[in-house]
């Protein structure tokens, strides 16, 4: 028997308001044609003032708890991956804890931008396997619309808001179910290629997203293909063993190019970028929840998650559902 972190449930939440490319084209100098051709994005959800990173996270968490058949009181660890917390502090995870009515537990945020969910599940996996908790809520939640420069067409068309959550449970298993391996990376020398030009300790303001898109694109394909290769090698498997890839949803061209590098057919890649745009740390758990709920991802499937974002940071995980 082996103690592993098992995927016990998934959930997600999207803001009420959905915005099309055509609607954006009325605000900035862009077009549906350009956005679809360069990114694959057609829609994104934008949070209303009453919808925040913490409220979206709590809504996604409630769904994940229900799917796992658990109560908030069963949870011993809450991690929220976000770059857009409700407040500079406290951690959004403690706000989620309060919104769920969960009693005393471990709660903190992880800041690794778009790869935050991968960082969070890797940390949770270690903590669950060393006995810190029995059940953990891992949430990626973002309101990126609040840090976009709505005059900058090179960034504002790319992002959206939302949240995705999973419950991971520590279980003794006789088979290969659960998280089998995770790999994380960071290369801080590229921190100026994708960043927010404000912060509490510098400008005292929240700031806006700035990105050298073409450079990020180039690094993303190389790094994601490499980390997927690493994580599969860790468990002695190859691309042909994968049932589903749930990639970070930044750009359909990045997803296609990465899959091609690995020799993965498009039918095994979960794609939501057309509906959600890039929701940063929320994108992987949002896509995972969608594919679990529509029946594509089933018990026994080998699933690979990957993401890359500001820092640069990137990572991958392989799990048997
Ligand atoms: O989640 C974190 C990771 N982030 C990413 O992975 C994003 C990575 N980067 C990308 O996805 C792509 O680089 C972009 C979608 C951001 C841009 O696509 P691209 O094919 O690399 O375009 P580009 O930046 O080379 O720009 C091409 C042209 C430029 O015009 P000129 O200089 O060729 O005349 C831009 O000004 O497209 C122009 N452009 C636009 N045109 C219409 C840039 N944004 C827009 C726009 N609408 N929204």
């Amino acid at each position: 028997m082996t103690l592993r972190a098992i995927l016990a449930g998934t959930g997600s939440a999207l803001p009420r308001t959905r915005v099309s490319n055509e609607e954006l084209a009325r605000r900035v100098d862009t077009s549906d044609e350009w956005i679809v051709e360069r990114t694959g994005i057609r829609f994104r959800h934008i949070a209303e003032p009453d919808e925040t990173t913490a409220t979206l996270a709590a809504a996604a968490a409630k769904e994940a708890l229900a799917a796992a058949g658990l109560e908030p009181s069963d949870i011993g660890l809450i991690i929220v991956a976000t770059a857009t917390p409700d407040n500079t502090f406290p951690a959004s995870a403690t706000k989620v804890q309060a919104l769920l009515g969960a009693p005393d537990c471990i709660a903190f945020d992880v800041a690794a931008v778009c790869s935050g969910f991968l960082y969070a599940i890797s940390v949770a996996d270690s903590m669950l396997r060393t006995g810190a908790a029995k059940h953990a809520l891992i949430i990626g939640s973002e309101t990126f619309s609040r840090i976009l420069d709505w005059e900058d067409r090179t960034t504002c068309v790319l992002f959206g808001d939302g949240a995705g959550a999973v419950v991971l449970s520590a279980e003794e298993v006789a088979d290969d179910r659960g998280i089998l391996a995770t790999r994380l990376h960071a290369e801080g020398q590229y921190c100026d290629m994708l960043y927010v030009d404000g912060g509490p300790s510098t400008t005292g303001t929240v700031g806006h997203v700035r990105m050298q898109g073409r450079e990020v694109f180039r690094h993303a394909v190389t790094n994601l293909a490499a980390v997927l290769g690493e994580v599969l090698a860790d468990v002695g498997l190859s691309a042909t063993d994968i049932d589903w890839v749930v990639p970070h949803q930044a750009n359909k061209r990045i997803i296609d190019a990465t899959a091609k590098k690995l020799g993965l057919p498009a039918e095994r890649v979960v794609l939501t970028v057309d509906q959600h745009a890039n929701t940063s740390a929320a994108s992987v758990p949002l896509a995972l929840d969608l594919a679990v709920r529509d029946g594509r991802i089933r018990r026994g499937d080998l699933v690979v998650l990957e993401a890359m974002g500001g820092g640069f940071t990137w990572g991958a995980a392989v799990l048997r559902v």
Side-chain angles (χ1 to χ4, degrees), residues 12-15 45-47 52-53 56-57 60 140-144 160-164 276 279 281-283 286:
S12 59
L14 289 163
H45 289 250
I46 302 291
T52 71
T53 291
L56 291 167
S141 186
E142 303 276 17
T143 44
F144 248 59
D161 302 333
H276 301 160
T279 57
S283 95
L286 256 170

Side-chain angles (χ1 to χ4, degrees), residues 77-85 91-93 107-124 127 138-142 184 280-281 313:
L77 167 66
I78 302 173
I79 308 180
V80 174
T82 189
T84 49
S92 300
F108 62 93
D109 288 2
V110 160
V113 209
C114 298
S115 49
F117 184 74
L118 269 302
Y119 268 74
I121 58 166
S122 182
V123 170
M127 292 182 73
I138 317 304
I139 309 161
S141 186
E142 303 276 17
L184 301 174
S280 182
T313 57

Side-chain angles (χ1 to χ4, degrees), residues 260-275:
K260 200 171 159 201
K261 264 194 158 195
L262 285 166
L264 276 164
E267 310 85 72
R268 284 196 270 143
V269 180
V270 178
L271 204 71
T272 56
V273 68
D274 55 332
Q275 298 299 314

Side-chain angles (χ1 to χ4, degrees), residues 65 72-73 87-88 96 124 138 189-190 198 266 303:
L65 282 171
S73 55
N87 304 84
T88 303
V96 171
I138 317 304
Q189 70 265 36
Y190 298 113
V303 177

Side-chain angles (χ1 to χ4, degrees), residues 5-295:
I6 305 293
L7 182 69
T10 64
S12 59
L14 289 163
R16 297 185 294 277
T17 306
R18 191 169 84 144
V19 177
S20 68
N21 291 343
E22 286 87 353
E23 285 169 84
L24 276 189
R26 279 181 234 128
R27 289 171 74 163
V28 285
D29 180 19
T30 189
S31 65
D32 176 53
E33 193 190 5
W34 189 94
I35 301 170
V36 172
E37 189 189 307
R38 299 294 176 119
T39 71
I41 296 166
R42 293 179 187 276
F43 297 96
R44 75 283 295 141
H45 289 250
I46 302 291
E48 298 290 341
D50 66 316
E51 295 170 311
T52 71
T53 291
T55 66
L56 291 167
K62 279 181 190 162
E63 276 199 6
L65 282 171
L70 294 174
E71 298 295 328
S73 55
D74 295 317
I75 295 298
L77 167 66
I78 302 173
I79 308 180
V80 174
T82 189
T84 49
D86 285 21
N87 304 84
T88 303
F89 76 80
S92 300
T94 61
K95 292 193 115 180
V96 171
Q97 180 190 17
L99 287 167
L100 294 176
D104 181 10
C105 69
I106 307 165
F108 62 93
D109 288 2
V110 160
V113 209
C114 298
S115 49
F117 184 74
L118 269 302
Y119 268 74
I121 58 166
S122 182
V123 170
D125 176 42
S126 301
M127 292 182 73
L128 288 169
R129 283 188 295 107
T130 50
K134 166 84 177 125
H135 302 289
L137 255 176
I138 317 304
I139 309 161
S141 186
E142 303 276 17
T143 44
F144 248 59
S145 61
R146 313 274 214 256
I147 55 165
L148 293 174
D149 175 352
W150 287 98
E151 311 269 292
D152 176 11
R153 68 175 184 173
T154 70
T155 51
C156 75
V157 303
L158 304 175
F159 295 91
D161 302 333
V166 300
V167 173
L168 295 178
S169 298
E171 260 181 51
E172 291 281 356
V173 289
D175 54 16
D176 68 345
R177 225 154 45 95
I179 295 181
L180 301 174
T182 64
R183 280 276 189 144
L184 301 174
H185 291 276
E187 278 184 347
Q189 70 265 36
Y190 298 113
C191 62
D192 292 340
M193 294 206 174
L194 175 50
Y195 68 104
V196 168
D197 62 3
S201 184
T202 50
T203 58
T205 62
V206 172
H208 293 117
V209 175
R210 305 294 173 207
M211 176 166 73
Q212 293 179 34
R214 217 176 290 181
E215 279 303 303
V216 178
F217 190 109
R218 198 168 59 77
H219 283 269
V221 176
T222 308
N223 291 341
L224 290 171
V227 77
L228 284 171
E230 286 169 17
V231 87
L232 285 171
D234 285 344
V235 291
L237 296 171
S238 65
T240 51
D241 297 309
I242 300 173
D243 294 301
W244 291 103
V245 180
V246 184
H248 174 46
Q249 310 283 326
N251 186 323
K252 185 174 183 300
R253 285 159 53 216
I254 294 177
I255 294 170
D256 290 346
T258 308
K260 200 171 159 201
K261 264 194 158 195
L262 285 166
L264 276 164
E267 310 85 72
R268 284 196 270 143
V269 180
V270 178
L271 204 71
T272 56
V273 68
D274 55 332
Q275 298 299 314
H276 301 160
N278 182 349
T279 57
S280 182
S283 95
V284 169
L286 256 170
L288 178 66
D289 181 53
L290 197 89
V292 166
R293 280 175 196 272
D294 69 18

